[in-house]
Amino acid sequence: MCLENSTARSNWENNTKSQSIQSREYRAFVIPGKLERLPIEWTWREIASWIDTEGSFHSEKRGGYYADIAQKDKNVIQEICSFWHEQGLHPNMTIDKFVGCYHAHLHRVDIAIVIKNTEPYMRTENKKEQIKQFKENVNDPRKTLHRG
């Protein structure tokens, strides 16, 4: 994940000494125009390596699912989003202005597709555990909203 730049932190602290603001308030959506891909071809194996090292899968019992990859290099995140878009997924790209880190996000059904295509290439126990937790949460019986 992106680490905080000490210079950026000190500049921010100097500009906001009396304010107590969470970093989430510094998130702004980046709406890229038409993304042009570099001649490098992306594969699911490369996406898996990025998720394994710079990303994560999140799943909650109440049904909140998302995946995230963070990187300070904007071009890499744009390429990842472009690859996902070509695969029929619906990525979002954001920037955390406080840290200067770009994020590629996927939500809901798209995560199942990413997990299906990247799981064989995951190496870290942390990501394997996140995938296991996702599968358990998806397979749990759901409560109904209406009495039937």
Side-chain angles (χ1 to χ4, degrees), residues 82 84 145:
S82 181
W84 281 343
L145 297 175

Side-chain angles (χ1 to χ4, degrees), residues 129-146:
E129 181 61 32
Q130 290 174 3
I131 290 171
K132 179 183 171 191
Q133 187 175 16
F134 170 80
K135 289 179 178 180
E136 289 172 358
N137 288 343
V138 168
N139 289 328
D140 282 347
R142 300 286 173 218
K143 295 179 181 177
T144 59
L145 297 175
H146 304 286

Side-chain angles (χ1 to χ4, degrees), residues 65-82:
Y65 307 112
Y66 69 95
D68 179 73
I69 299 175
Q71 177 59 235
K72 288 193 175 188
D73 186 348
K74 180 180 177 180
N75 292 334
V76 170
I77 296 299
Q78 284 179 326
E79 289 178 28
I80 290 169
C81 286
S82 181

Side-chain angles (χ1 to χ4, degrees), residues 41-109:
E41 288 300 318
W42 284 81
T43 64
W44 283 110
R45 181 183 294 255
E46 290 170 326
I47 296 295
S49 69
W50 277 93
I51 293 172
D52 218 3
T53 57
E54 303 291 336
S56 59
F57 295 111
H58 301 273
S59 61
E60 300 170 359
K61 289 196 181 271
R62 62 177 198 236
Y65 307 112
Y66 69 95
D68 179 73
I69 299 175
Q71 177 59 235
K72 288 193 175 188
D73 186 348
K74 180 180 177 180
N75 292 334
V76 170
I77 296 299
Q78 284 179 326
E79 289 178 28
I80 290 169
C81 286
S82 181
F83 174 81
W84 281 343
H85 185 73
E86 288 174 4
Q87 300 300 314
L89 306 177
H90 306 92
N92 291 324
M93 181 177 167
T94 61
I95 181 172
D96 185 338
K97 290 183 180 179
F98 177 66
V99 179
C101 193
Y102 293 89
H103 295 262
H105 301 281
L106 285 174
H107 297 276
R108 304 184 191 266
V109 177

